[in-house]
Amino acid sequence: MKYLPTLSLIIISTLLTTRAAIFEIRNNCPYTVWAAASPGGGRQLNRNDVWRLYAAPGTKMARIWGRTGCNFDGSGRGSCKTGDCGGLTCTHWGSPPNTLAEYALNQYNNLDFFDISLVDGFNIPMQFGPTNNVGGGCRLLQCAANINGECPGPLRVPGGCNNPCTTFREEQYCCNGGSCGPTGYSRFFKDRCPTSYSYPKDDATSTFTCPGGTNYKVVFCP
């Protein structure tokens, strides 16, 4: 019996560190956004609508994004101009261009890793980070520059600003092989959103952490 208090503390501690993270996804845009998540599916968000998504502990390689210019029938079949993912509820990752909120929960030292990525281009301004801003690496990230309006000509597509890998299919932009570095196109994105990924190897200034068990918010058009 004398071991029960210690056992209870262990159980409580385990529950606290392994509970699901809540993602509050809000549309502040003056237009409809069809939010998408992998894992999680998809949902239409009219202006000021909120979607609360629960992610299991240990979830990794996860992403949340917004789709624009969508047209779905009553069964959820259809497509989107940007971020299309195979129907209303999504069957795959979104097609570029799409601004991405990426995360992995309860990883090394029970830390969550998260970022805003422009590696797949940009379609909607985004804010992403902890619900309660605690400072340091656990803080709100934002990419709300006029990237669509200022997008370089070769990257311009209807509804967004594409990534150079999709546009040119060249290794210097795709980074599929060995080392690669920033380019003029990646600097265009980085200059406007300094804390966001601008090319695949842009880890040093673009990855952030929060303690495991943190809840998050994603805001379109912050």
Side-chain angles (χ1 to χ4, degrees):
M1 294 294 294
K2 66 180 179 179
Y3 296 108
L4 286 179
T6 301
L7 180 60
S8 297
L9 288 174
I10 292 172
I11 294 173
I12 292 170
S13 176
T14 301
L15 290 173
L16 288 174
T17 57
T18 59
R19 67 181 178 86
I22 302 171
F23 287 78
E24 181 181 285
I25 306 167
R26 179 182 296 273
N27 179 24
N28 278 358
C29 299
Y31 49 84
T32 298
V33 172
W34 286 263
S38 177
R43 182 173 298 188
Q44 177 177 323
L45 296 181
N46 298 321
R47 187 174 188 179
N48 297 322
D49 281 354
V50 176
W51 175 24
R52 287 180 176 84
L53 186 69
Y54 296 83
T59 298
K60 56 186 177 180
M61 294 183 66
R63 53 179 57 186
I64 297 168
W65 68 97
R67 296 168 286 173
T68 63
C70 299
N71 188 11
F72 299 111
D73 64 20
S75 300
R77 294 187 295 264
S79 61
C80 301
K81 184 181 295 183
T82 67
D84 187 56
C85 54
L88 175 62
T89 58
C90 286
T91 59
H92 53 76
W93 284 359
S95 300
N98 53 338
T99 316
L100 296 174
E102 300 180 314
Y103 66 91
L105 302 178
N106 311 101
Q107 302 298 303
Y108 178 72
N109 284 342
N110 195 36
L111 290 173
D112 298 343
F113 291 79
F114 68 102
D115 65 80
I116 291 178
S117 175
L118 307 181
V119 172
D120 279 359
F122 178 99
N123 65 336
I124 304 174
M126 177 185 285
Q127 184 184 77
F128 177 36
T131 303
N132 296 314
N133 198 357
V134 300
C138 186
R139 61 188 181 91
L140 282 173
L141 309 177
Q142 183 162 296
C143 181
N146 184 25
I147 289 179
N148 288 342
E150 299 172 355
C151 184
L155 304 184
R156 286 181 180 270
V157 293
C161 187
N162 220 344
N163 68 90
C165 176
T166 298
T167 300
F168 301 111
R169 303 290 184 181
E170 296 177 4
E171 176 59 21
Q172 62 175 320
Y173 305 120
C174 298
C175 302
N176 292 322
S179 61
C180 66
T183 65
Y185 288 120
S186 72
R187 292 187 185 96
F188 164 80
F189 291 108
K190 197 67 173 179
D191 288 346
R192 287 154 182 79
C193 293
T195 59
S196 300
Y197 265 86
S198 60
Y199 71 100
K201 302 293 185 180
D202 192 14
D203 304 276
T205 60
S206 309
T207 301
F208 298 84
T209 60
C210 282
T214 298
N215 294 323
Y216 296 89
K217 61 181 177 181
V218 176
V219 182
F220 301 119
C221 301

XYZ file of all heavy atoms in Angstrom, residues 81-164:
616
model
N -8.774 24.865 -56.427
C -7.778 25.578 -57.221
C -6.400 25.467 -56.576
O -5.392 25.280 -57.257
C -8.185 27.047 -57.370
C -7.273 27.869 -58.265
C -7.740 29.326 -58.344
C -9.086 29.438 -59.020
N -9.513 30.860 -59.163
N -6.324 25.594 -55.245
C -5.050 25.425 -54.524
C -5.252 24.447 -53.370
O -6.317 24.396 -52.759
C -4.514 26.754 -53.962
O -5.396 27.240 -52.927
C -4.389 27.803 -55.050
N -4.215 23.657 -53.084
C -4.241 22.736 -51.955
C -5.117 21.518 -52.145
O -5.422 20.825 -51.170
N -5.512 21.211 -53.355
C -6.432 20.105 -53.619
C -5.888 18.789 -53.059
O -4.694 18.491 -53.165
C -6.667 19.973 -55.126
C -7.732 18.952 -55.446
O -8.847 19.104 -54.930
O -7.448 18.000 -56.202
N -6.782 17.992 -52.457
C -6.325 16.748 -51.830
C -7.292 15.601 -52.053
O -7.405 14.697 -51.219
C -6.074 16.959 -50.339
S -7.464 17.659 -49.426
N -8.041 15.631 -53.167
C -8.865 14.489 -53.520
C -10.215 14.443 -52.849
O -10.590 13.411 -52.276
N -10.968 15.529 -52.889
C -12.309 15.549 -52.302
C -12.367 16.344 -51.018
O -11.346 16.742 -50.448
N -13.583 16.568 -50.531
C -13.789 17.404 -49.347
C -13.017 16.899 -48.138
O -12.402 17.672 -47.403
C -15.282 17.475 -49.029
C -15.671 18.216 -47.745
C -15.243 19.676 -47.809
C -17.180 18.110 -47.510
N -13.032 15.574 -47.917
C -12.407 15.027 -46.718
C -10.955 14.620 -46.918
O -10.316 14.140 -45.983
C -13.202 13.813 -46.200
O -13.274 12.818 -47.233
C -14.606 14.228 -45.807
N -10.411 14.770 -48.124
C -8.989 14.542 -48.440
C -8.606 13.066 -48.477
O -8.948 12.300 -47.579
C -8.065 15.264 -47.463
S -7.999 17.034 -47.709
N -7.851 12.716 -49.509
C -7.292 11.371 -49.615
C -5.769 11.394 -49.730
O -5.143 10.339 -49.742
C -7.872 10.640 -50.846
O -7.575 11.394 -52.035
C -9.379 10.478 -50.719
N -5.172 12.572 -49.800
C -3.714 12.684 -49.914
C -3.290 14.094 -49.512
O -4.133 14.954 -49.243
C -3.250 12.368 -51.342
C -3.946 13.177 -52.405
N -3.645 14.501 -52.661
C -4.938 12.844 -53.284
C -4.406 14.949 -53.652
N -5.203 13.957 -54.047
N -1.983 14.309 -49.446
C -1.465 15.642 -49.162
C -1.904 16.619 -50.245
O -2.129 16.236 -51.402
C 0.056 15.613 -49.075
C 0.560 15.033 -47.786
C -0.188 14.572 -46.731
C 1.926 14.863 -47.400
N 0.620 14.120 -45.719
C 1.926 14.289 -46.103
C 3.135 15.140 -48.014
C 3.095 13.994 -45.409
C 4.316 14.835 -47.326
C 4.287 14.275 -46.050
N -1.982 17.897 -49.873
C -2.457 18.900 -50.800
C -1.491 19.176 -51.944
O -0.271 19.095 -51.798
N -2.048 19.529 -53.085
C -1.243 19.885 -54.255
C -0.779 21.332 -54.143
O -1.550 22.206 -53.755
C -2.062 19.710 -55.535
O -2.496 18.380 -55.677
N 0.484 21.609 -54.477
C 0.984 22.983 -54.447
C 0.207 23.881 -55.409
O -0.308 23.392 -56.429
C 2.440 22.828 -54.888
C 2.786 21.394 -54.619
C 1.518 20.639 -54.865
N 0.138 25.178 -55.059
C 0.739 25.805 -53.880
C -0.179 25.736 -52.662
O -1.385 25.881 -52.785
C 0.910 27.258 -54.331
C -0.238 27.484 -55.267
C -0.451 26.177 -55.981
N 0.422 25.529 -51.491
C -0.333 25.592 -50.246
C 0.601 25.896 -49.078
O 1.631 25.262 -48.909
C -1.132 24.305 -49.995
C -0.315 23.043 -50.066
O 0.749 22.995 -50.672
N -0.810 21.992 -49.449
N 0.222 26.887 -48.299
C 0.939 27.235 -47.073
C 0.694 26.129 -46.057
O -0.454 25.748 -45.813
C 0.424 28.569 -46.514
O 0.280 29.516 -47.574
C 1.371 29.114 -45.461
N 1.757 25.605 -45.445
C 1.627 24.433 -44.582
C 1.966 24.728 -43.124
O 2.970 25.376 -42.834
C 2.569 23.328 -45.063
C 2.316 22.739 -46.443
C 3.439 21.769 -46.802
C 0.966 22.024 -46.479
N 1.144 24.213 -42.224
C 1.493 24.107 -40.807
C 1.890 22.660 -40.566
O 1.057 21.759 -40.708
C 0.304 24.502 -39.937
N 3.156 22.416 -40.230
C 3.657 21.057 -40.066
C 3.993 20.801 -38.599
O 4.446 21.701 -37.894
C 4.912 20.856 -40.910
C 4.694 21.064 -42.401
C 5.951 20.867 -43.214
O 7.022 21.403 -42.805
O 5.890 20.201 -44.252
N 3.795 19.546 -38.167
C 4.106 19.249 -36.769
C 4.405 17.769 -36.560
O 3.997 16.904 -37.343
C 2.962 19.692 -35.847
C 1.668 18.923 -36.030
C 1.393 17.779 -35.279
C 0.699 19.335 -36.946
C 0.213 17.077 -35.430
C -0.490 18.645 -37.109
C -0.727 17.515 -36.338
O -1.895 16.819 -36.501
N 5.125 17.501 -35.465
C 5.376 16.151 -34.971
C 5.318 16.219 -33.450
O 5.993 17.058 -32.840
C 6.743 15.634 -35.430
N 4.510 15.381 -32.830
C 4.235 15.473 -31.397
C 5.047 14.471 -30.595
O 5.273 13.338 -31.031
C 2.744 15.230 -31.128
C 1.758 16.162 -31.839
C 0.334 15.743 -31.504
C 2.007 17.613 -31.466
N 5.467 14.892 -29.404
C 6.119 14.010 -28.431
C 7.297 13.264 -29.041
O 7.393 12.037 -28.987
C 5.114 12.995 -27.859
C 3.830 13.627 -27.389
O 2.834 13.570 -28.098
N 3.846 14.256 -26.226
N 8.208 14.025 -29.589
C 9.384 13.449 -30.225
C 10.570 13.475 -29.260
O 10.399 13.179 -28.092
C 9.677 14.206 -31.524
C 8.521 14.207 -32.518
C 8.132 12.820 -32.997
O 8.955 12.089 -33.534
N 6.875 12.437 -32.807
N 11.733 13.827 -29.689
C 12.948 13.798 -28.865
C 12.752 14.610 -27.587
O 12.292 15.751 -27.628
C 14.110 14.356 -29.683
C 15.417 14.440 -28.952
C 16.144 13.293 -28.651
C 15.928 15.670 -28.545
C 17.339 13.356 -27.981
C 17.133 15.757 -27.878
C 17.838 14.594 -27.598
O 19.030 14.675 -26.927
N 13.059 14.001 -26.432
C 12.885 14.641 -25.122
C 11.455 15.103 -24.883
O 11.209 16.099 -24.179
C 13.852 15.814 -24.950
C 15.271 15.377 -24.656
O 15.505 14.239 -24.254
N 16.221 16.270 -24.866
N 10.490 14.380 -25.444
C 9.067 14.700 -25.314
C 8.743 16.114 -25.800
O 7.882 16.801 -25.249
C 8.572 14.526 -23.876
C 7.054 14.494 -23.790
O 6.385 13.962 -24.667
N 6.512 15.087 -22.746
N 9.427 16.563 -26.824
C 9.153 17.868 -27.413
C 8.292 17.715 -28.667
O 8.412 16.750 -29.406
C 10.463 18.578 -27.786
C 11.342 19.069 -26.645
C 12.664 19.595 -27.196
C 10.644 20.155 -25.833
N 7.413 18.701 -28.874
C 6.709 18.834 -30.147
C 7.552 19.696 -31.077
O 8.089 20.725 -30.653
C 5.355 19.524 -29.966
C 4.402 18.756 -29.070
O 4.632 17.556 -28.843
O 3.421 19.375 -28.606
N 7.659 19.314 -32.344
C 8.347 20.116 -33.354
C 7.297 20.663 -34.324
O 6.406 19.938 -34.749
C 9.369 19.262 -34.108
C 10.547 18.856 -33.273
C 10.449 17.807 -32.364
C 11.756 19.527 -33.382
C 11.524 17.436 -31.575
C 12.843 19.160 -32.604
C 12.729 18.117 -31.696
N 7.407 21.956 -34.653
C 6.410 22.541 -35.542
C 7.033 23.643 -36.394
O 8.079 24.210 -36.054
C 5.218 23.093 -34.744
C 5.517 24.292 -33.890
C 5.140 25.565 -34.302
C 6.171 24.170 -32.670
C 5.411 26.690 -33.526
C 6.440 25.291 -31.875
C 6.060 26.549 -32.317
N 6.382 23.952 -37.509
C 6.882 24.993 -38.412
C 5.785 25.420 -39.362
O 4.770 24.730 -39.531
C 8.096 24.490 -39.212
C 7.755 23.346 -40.158
O 7.226 23.628 -41.256
O 7.992 22.179 -39.802
N 5.991 26.567 -39.995
C 5.232 26.961 -41.183
C 6.163 26.753 -42.363
O 7.295 27.226 -42.361
C 4.772 28.428 -41.110
C 3.703 28.606 -40.025
C 4.218 28.886 -42.464
C 3.226 30.035 -39.861
N 5.676 26.046 -43.365
C 6.514 25.733 -44.525
C 5.943 26.342 -45.799
O 4.745 26.230 -46.077
C 6.630 24.217 -44.699
O 7.345 23.913 -45.885
N 6.859 26.947 -46.572
C 6.535 27.455 -47.904
C 7.231 26.624 -48.972
O 7.326 27.047 -50.119
C 6.940 28.929 -48.023
C 6.407 29.857 -46.930
C 6.845 31.293 -47.178
C 4.889 29.775 -46.830
N 7.704 25.445 -48.589
C 8.372 24.561 -49.544
C 7.413 24.134 -50.648
O 7.826 23.890 -51.786
C 8.960 23.338 -48.811
C 9.499 22.310 -49.795
C 10.082 23.781 -47.870
N 6.130 24.055 -50.331
C 5.114 23.761 -51.339
C 4.448 25.022 -51.874
O 3.364 24.956 -52.466
C 4.041 22.832 -50.759
C 4.478 21.371 -50.762
O 5.602 21.086 -51.228
O 3.708 20.520 -50.298
N 5.076 26.167 -51.663
C 4.518 27.418 -52.135
C 3.613 28.070 -51.100
O 3.599 27.696 -49.920
N 2.833 29.045 -51.545
C 2.008 29.869 -50.654
C 0.658 30.116 -51.312
O 0.584 30.435 -52.500
C 2.717 31.194 -50.406
C 1.972 32.193 -49.546
C 2.264 32.321 -48.201
C 0.994 33.005 -50.094
C 1.591 33.237 -47.409
C 0.311 33.932 -49.313
C 0.616 34.051 -47.977
N -0.403 29.955 -50.506
C -1.719 30.335 -51.024
C -2.516 31.203 -50.056
O -3.264 32.078 -50.488
C -2.539 29.099 -51.432
C -2.906 28.191 -50.270
O -2.244 28.186 -49.230
N -3.953 27.407 -50.443
N -2.366 30.980 -48.737
C -3.152 31.707 -47.742
C -2.226 32.176 -46.612
O -1.421 31.389 -46.112
C -4.256 30.813 -47.136
C -5.157 30.235 -48.228
C -5.100 31.603 -46.141
C -6.162 29.225 -47.701
N -2.340 33.431 -46.163
C -1.580 33.869 -44.979
C -1.939 32.993 -43.777
O -3.097 32.580 -43.620
C -2.043 35.315 -44.778
C -2.572 35.742 -46.105
C -3.161 34.514 -46.732
N -0.949 32.733 -42.925
C -1.160 31.778 -41.832
C -0.427 32.189 -40.562
O 0.675 32.739 -40.604
C -0.675 30.388 -42.259
C -0.783 29.313 -41.183
S -0.066 27.729 -41.709
C -1.335 27.152 -42.846
N -1.054 31.874 -39.437
C -0.412 31.939 -38.126
C -0.519 30.547 -37.510
O -1.557 29.878 -37.623
C -1.121 32.958 -37.238
C -0.486 33.179 -35.880
C -1.311 34.140 -35.030
O -2.336 33.768 -34.477
N -0.871 35.379 -34.950
N 0.557 30.098 -36.859
C 0.579 28.750 -36.285
C 1.462 28.753 -35.053
O 2.577 29.273 -35.070
C 1.117 27.755 -37.318
C 1.268 26.333 -36.827
C 0.364 25.774 -35.945
C 2.322 25.542 -37.273
C 0.489 24.467 -35.507
C 2.467 24.230 -36.852
C 1.541 23.690 -35.963
N 0.979 28.157 -33.973
C 1.777 28.047 -32.766
C 0.932 27.664 -31.576
O -0.249 27.316 -31.713
N 1.527 27.719 -30.382
C 0.807 27.307 -29.180
C -0.379 28.213 -28.887
O -0.357 29.416 -29.171
C 1.877 27.417 -28.083
C 2.848 28.426 -28.601
C 2.893 28.203 -30.084
N -1.420 27.620 -28.307
C -2.596 28.405 -27.914
C -2.211 29.451 -26.882
O -2.689 30.588 -26.919
C -3.685 27.479 -27.361
O -4.003 26.493 -28.348
C -4.944 28.260 -27.016
N -1.346 29.064 -25.951
C -0.809 29.991 -24.957
C 0.654 30.243 -25.271
O 1.486 29.338 -25.172
C -0.962 29.424 -23.542
C -2.411 29.244 -23.147
O -3.226 30.135 -23.361
N -2.746 28.093 -22.585
N 0.968 31.461 -25.670
C 2.328 31.802 -26.108
C 3.261 31.875 -24.902
O 3.149 32.778 -24.072
C 2.290 33.152 -26.837
C 3.516 33.378 -27.695
O 4.425 32.558 -27.713
N 3.534 34.487 -28.405
N 4.168 30.903 -24.794
C 5.040 30.832 -23.616
C 6.442 31.373 -23.891
O 7.290 31.393 -23.004
C 5.136 29.384 -23.087
C 3.768 28.877 -22.688
C 5.755 28.467 -24.131
N 6.707 31.804 -25.098
C 8.004 32.404 -25.405
C 9.051 31.386 -25.800
O 8.817 30.184 -25.832
N 10.249 31.886 -26.088
C 11.341 31.031 -26.534
C 10.994 30.390 -27.862
O 10.411 31.006 -28.745
N 11.354 29.116 -27.988
C 11.032 28.403 -29.214
C 9.576 28.023 -29.299
O 9.088 27.658 -30.365
N 8.859 28.092 -28.176
C 7.437 27.768 -28.139
C 6.651 29.065 -28.279
O 6.225 29.672 -27.296
C 7.089 27.055 -26.840
S 5.382 26.462 -26.756
N 6.479 29.495 -29.507
C 5.859 30.794 -29.757
C 5.090 30.771 -31.068
O 5.247 29.864 -31.879
C 6.933 31.883 -29.818
C 7.965 31.708 -30.932
C 9.082 32.743 -30.776
N 10.089 32.672 -31.805
C 10.051 33.359 -32.952
N 9.043 34.166 -33.209
N 11.025 33.258 -33.831
N 4.269 31.780 -31.238
C 3.486 31.871 -32.463
C 4.364 32.210 -33.655
O 5.222 33.089 -33.574
C 2.405 32.938 -32.311
C 1.161 32.554 -31.508
C 0.276 33.774 -31.311
C 0.389 31.451 -32.210
N 4.136 31.521 -34.764
C 4.791 31.818 -36.029
C 3.759 32.452 -36.959
O 2.567 32.150 -36.867
C 5.331 30.539 -36.659
C 6.204 29.648 -35.775
C 6.599 28.386 -36.543
C 7.425 30.397 -35.280
N 4.229 33.297 -37.839
C 3.294 33.944 -38.754
C 3.933 34.185 -40.110
O 5.092 34.584 -40.197
C 2.818 35.274 -38.161
C 1.774 35.984 -39.022
C 1.011 37.046 -38.254
O 0.299 36.751 -37.306
N 1.167 38.309 -38.655
N 3.162 33.932 -41.151
C 3.557 34.268 -42.514
C 2.350 34.931 -43.156
O 1.422 34.246 -43.603
C 3.977 33.022 -43.279
S 4.496 33.383 -44.978
N 2.348 36.253 -43.146
C 1.180 37.006 -43.613
C 1.555 38.078 -44.628
O 0.817 39.034 -44.826
C 0.457 37.631 -42.416
N 2.719 37.931 -45.260
C 3.157 38.914 -46.254
C 2.328 38.794 -47.529
O 1.621 37.807 -47.754
C 4.638 38.703 -46.563
N 2.446 39.783 -48.384
C 1.710 39.804 -49.648
C 2.452 38.979 -50.705
O 2.869 39.482 -51.753
C 1.532 41.250 -50.130
C 0.690 41.329 -51.393
O -0.131 40.461 -51.675
N 0.913 42.378 -52.180
N 2.638 37.713 -50.403
C 3.411 36.848 -51.297
C 2.687 36.621 -52.624
O 3.314 36.633 -53.694
C 3.745 35.523 -50.595
C 4.781 35.774 -49.489
C 4.256 34.482 -51.585
C 5.176 34.560 -48.705
N 1.389 36.440 -52.580
C 0.663 36.237 -53.840
C 0.773 37.445 -54.749
O 0.960 37.320 -55.959
C -0.813 35.925 -53.561
C -1.014 34.536 -52.984
O -0.142 33.683 -53.086
N -2.167 34.310 -52.375
N 0.679 38.640 -54.167
C 0.744 39.855 -54.970
C 2.120 40.154 -55.514
O 2.263 40.770 -56.579
N 3.170 39.733 -54.796
C 4.546 40.036 -55.178
C 5.263 38.840 -55.800
O 6.453 38.903 -56.079
C 5.318 40.510 -53.941
C 4.736 41.771 -53.318
C 5.390 42.128 -51.991
O 6.233 41.333 -51.501
O 5.072 43.199 -51.439
N 4.562 37.755 -56.023
C 5.163 36.509 -56.492
C 5.924 36.706 -57.802
O 5.422 37.359 -58.730
C 4.057 35.473 -56.701
S 4.640 33.840 -57.175
N 7.147 36.166 -57.912
C 7.888 36.236 -59.184
C 7.084 35.624 -60.331
O 6.404 34.606 -60.154
C 9.154 35.413 -58.890
C 9.311 35.458 -57.408
C 7.919 35.480 -56.853
N 7.186 36.228 -61.485
C 6.388 35.805 -62.640
C 6.379 34.320 -62.916
O 5.308 33.722 -63.106
N 7.536 33.646 -62.955
C 7.538 32.205 -63.280
C 6.819 31.338 -62.250
O 6.447 30.197 -62.562
C 9.033 31.859 -63.322
C 9.722 33.156 -63.608
C 8.904 34.194 -62.891
N 6.632 31.854 -61.019
C 5.988 31.063 -59.972
C 4.499 31.366 -59.826
O 3.803 30.695 -59.061
C 6.684 31.303 -58.617
C 8.187 31.045 -58.544
C 8.678 31.227 -57.108
C 8.547 29.655 -59.061
N 4.016 32.352 -60.534
C 2.608 32.747 -60.402
C 1.679 31.683 -60.993
O 1.873 31.221 -62.113
C 2.353 34.067 -61.127
C 2.907 35.281 -60.413
C 2.585 36.557 -61.198
N 3.107 37.739 -60.524
C 2.427 38.443 -59.621
N 1.184 38.088 -59.326
N 2.968 39.498 -59.052
N 0.683 31.323 -60.202
C -0.360 30.408 -60.658
C -1.688 30.922 -60.111
O -1.706 31.708 -59.158
C -0.117 28.958 -60.171
C 1.110 28.359 -60.820
C 0.005 28.918 -58.654
N -2.803 30.516 -60.675
C -4.099 30.974 -60.163
C -4.278 30.656 -58.679
O -4.157 29.496 -58.265
C -5.106 30.210 -61.020
C -4.382 29.945 -62.295
C -2.961 29.692 -61.891
N -4.475 31.673 -57.881
C -4.745 31.477 -56.463
C -3.547 31.408 -55.558
O -3.698 31.282 -54.338
N -2.320 31.485 -56.104
C -1.180 31.372 -55.211
C 0.153 31.600 -55.885
O 0.241 32.014 -57.042
N 1.211 31.320 -55.129
C 2.594 31.465 -55.579
C 3.260 30.099 -55.440
O 3.446 29.601 -54.327
C 3.317 32.505 -54.724
S 4.983 32.941 -55.301
N 3.600 29.490 -56.551
C 4.088 28.120 -56.546
C 5.528 28.036 -56.037
O 6.244 29.039 -55.965
C 4.010 27.518 -57.947
C 3.553 26.079 -57.920
O 3.576 25.428 -56.882
N 3.115 25.587 -59.056
N 5.943 26.829 -55.697
C 7.331 26.606 -55.296
C 8.167 26.294 -56.536
O 7.661 25.734 -57.513
C 7.422 25.479 -54.276
C 7.073 24.137 -54.874
O 7.934 23.437 -55.379
N 5.793 23.764 -54.843
N 9.454 26.658 -56.526
C 10.275 26.469 -57.727
C 10.511 25.014 -58.098
O 10.730 24.707 -59.275
C 11.578 27.191 -57.386
C 11.605 27.280 -55.904
C 10.178 27.388 -55.470
